[in-house]
């Protein structure tokens, strides 16, 4: 039987599955919950809501680094505006390959 190439390609739902896994892990880590519709609804922004935090989760595989870097400031400003309206601390959770980072503004240290 001939091999079907599309079965082995990186499919869009694989990315969605990895993103949901990241959001679930963050919700557990910060004692929060995943946002319904992953922040797509008005009045329910961000990907993870914790008691004092609103977290935007982004992940990428190494082949997408340039796109990821180009949008970092846009994502930081987006979550900052949403979190301030909700009286929460904004955070951007970044997963690049197997490395994980949490980015917050300097004013939240101290």
């Amino acid at each position: 039987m001939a091999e079907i190439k599309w079965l082995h390609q990186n499919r869009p739902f694989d990315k969605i599955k990895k993103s949901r896994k990241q959001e679930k892990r963050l919700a557990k880590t910060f004692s929060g919950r995943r946002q319904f519709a992953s922040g797509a609804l008005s009045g329910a922004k961000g990907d993870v809501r914790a008691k004092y935090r609103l977290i935007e989760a982004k992940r990428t595989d190494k082949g997408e680094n340039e796109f990821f870097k180009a949008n970092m400031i846009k994502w930081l400003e987006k979550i900052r505006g949403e979190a301030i309206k909700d009286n929460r601390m904004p955070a951007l959770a970044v997963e690049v390959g197997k490395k994980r980072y949490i980015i917050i503004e300097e004013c939240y240290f101290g």
Side-chain angles (χ1 to χ4, degrees):
M1 181 188 259
E3 184 177 331
I4 303 171
K5 290 183 181 180
W6 62 266
L7 282 175
H8 303 289
Q9 293 175 350
N10 190 13
R11 297 172 296 250
F13 63 85
D14 288 339
K15 290 182 180 184
I16 293 169
K17 186 176 178 181
K18 289 177 182 179
S19 293
R20 285 188 183 144
K21 185 176 178 180
Q22 178 194 23
E23 291 170 6
K24 286 179 184 179
R25 183 184 50 74
L26 287 165
K28 184 176 180 181
T29 299
F30 291 101
S31 300
R33 63 178 173 80
R34 283 184 64 229
Q35 188 67 282
F36 177 75
S38 195
L41 302 175
S42 70
K45 298 297 181 183
D47 294 319
V48 177
R49 294 174 65 84
K51 188 171 184 178
Y52 300 108
R53 296 177 185 91
L54 186 62
I55 304 167
E56 183 74 16
K58 299 293 181 185
R59 64 163 314 281
T60 184
D61 295 317
K62 293 186 184 231
E64 302 170 6
N65 278 343
E66 291 307 313
F67 171 77
F68 202 73
K69 289 176 190 175
N71 288 287
M72 185 78 66
I73 299 298
K74 180 179 79 171
W75 295 327
L76 285 166
E77 291 300 320
K78 174 186 172 283
I79 194 64
R80 182 179 187 274
E82 293 169 355
I84 288 170
K85 289 177 186 174
D86 203 21
N87 200 28
R88 295 175 191 268
M89 179 179 76
L92 178 63
V94 178
E95 191 173 307
V96 181
K98 298 207 182 274
K99 295 180 182 176
R100 299 174 180 156
Y101 306 91
I102 301 291
I103 302 168
I104 63 172
E105 285 186 70
E106 183 178 4
C107 65
Y108 293 102
F109 283 98

Short mmCIF file of all heavy atoms in Angstrom, two decimals, residues 1-9:
data_model
loop_
_atom_site.label_atom_id
_atom_site.label_comp_id
_atom_site.label_asym_id
_atom_site.label_seq_id
_atom_site.Cartn_x
_atom_site.Cartn_y
_atom_site.Cartn_z
N MET A 1 0.84 -1.18 0.00
CA MET A 1 0.00 0.00 0.00
C MET A 1 0.89 1.24 0.00
O MET A 1 1.87 1.31 0.74
CB MET A 1 -0.91 -0.01 1.22
CG MET A 1 -1.84 1.19 1.26
SD MET A 1 -2.73 1.30 2.81
CE MET A 1 -4.29 0.65 2.33
N ALA A 2 0.55 2.23 -0.78
CA ALA A 2 1.32 3.46 -0.86
C ALA A 2 1.11 4.30 0.40
O ALA A 2 0.03 4.32 0.98
CB ALA A 2 0.90 4.27 -2.09
N GLU A 3 2.17 4.98 0.80
CA GLU A 3 2.11 5.84 1.98
C GLU A 3 1.37 7.13 1.66
O GLU A 3 1.59 7.74 0.62
CB GLU A 3 3.52 6.18 2.45
CG GLU A 3 3.55 6.97 3.71
CD GLU A 3 4.97 7.24 4.18
OE1 GLU A 3 5.86 6.42 3.90
OE2 GLU A 3 5.15 8.27 4.81
N ILE A 4 0.48 7.54 2.52
CA ILE A 4 -0.27 8.78 2.33
C ILE A 4 0.48 9.87 3.05
O ILE A 4 0.55 9.90 4.28
CB ILE A 4 -1.71 8.64 2.88
CG1 ILE A 4 -2.42 7.47 2.18
CG2 ILE A 4 -2.47 9.94 2.70
CD1 ILE A 4 -3.75 7.11 2.78
N LYS A 5 1.08 10.80 2.28
CA LYS A 5 1.96 11.82 2.86
C LYS A 5 1.25 12.75 3.82
O LYS A 5 1.80 13.14 4.83
CB LYS A 5 2.64 12.63 1.74
CG LYS A 5 3.64 11.82 0.98
CD LYS A 5 4.33 12.67 -0.06
CE LYS A 5 5.33 11.82 -0.83
NZ LYS A 5 6.02 12.60 -1.84
N TRP A 6 0.03 13.15 3.53
CA TRP A 6 -0.64 14.14 4.37
C TRP A 6 -0.89 13.64 5.78
O TRP A 6 -1.08 14.42 6.70
CB TRP A 6 -1.93 14.66 3.74
CG TRP A 6 -2.99 13.62 3.50
CD1 TRP A 6 -3.20 12.92 2.36
CD2 TRP A 6 -3.97 13.18 4.43
NE1 TRP A 6 -4.25 12.07 2.51
CE2 TRP A 6 -4.74 12.20 3.79
CE3 TRP A 6 -4.27 13.49 5.75
CZ2 TRP A 6 -5.79 11.55 4.41
CZ3 TRP A 6 -5.32 12.84 6.36
CH2 TRP A 6 -6.07 11.88 5.69
N LEU A 7 -0.88 12.31 5.98
CA LEU A 7 -1.08 11.78 7.32
C LEU A 7 0.07 12.13 8.25
O LEU A 7 -0.10 12.20 9.46
CB LEU A 7 -1.23 10.25 7.27
CG LEU A 7 -2.57 9.71 6.82
CD1 LEU A 7 -2.52 8.20 6.72
CD2 LEU A 7 -3.67 10.15 7.76
N HIS A 8 1.25 12.37 7.68
CA HIS A 8 2.43 12.61 8.49
C HIS A 8 2.83 14.08 8.54
O HIS A 8 3.82 14.42 9.16
CB HIS A 8 3.60 11.76 7.97
CG HIS A 8 3.26 10.31 7.95
ND1 HIS A 8 3.12 9.56 9.10
CD2 HIS A 8 2.99 9.47 6.92
CE1 HIS A 8 2.79 8.32 8.78
NE2 HIS A 8 2.71 8.23 7.46
N GLN A 9 2.09 14.94 7.91
CA GLN A 9 2.42 16.36 7.93
C GLN A 9 1.89 17.00 9.20
O GLN A 9 0.98 16.48 9.84
CB GLN A 9 1.81 17.07 6.70
CG GLN A 9 2.44 16.62 5.41
CD GLN A 9 1.74 17.24 4.21
OE1 GLN A 9 0.70 17.85 4.34
NE2 GLN A 9 2.32 17.07 3.04
#
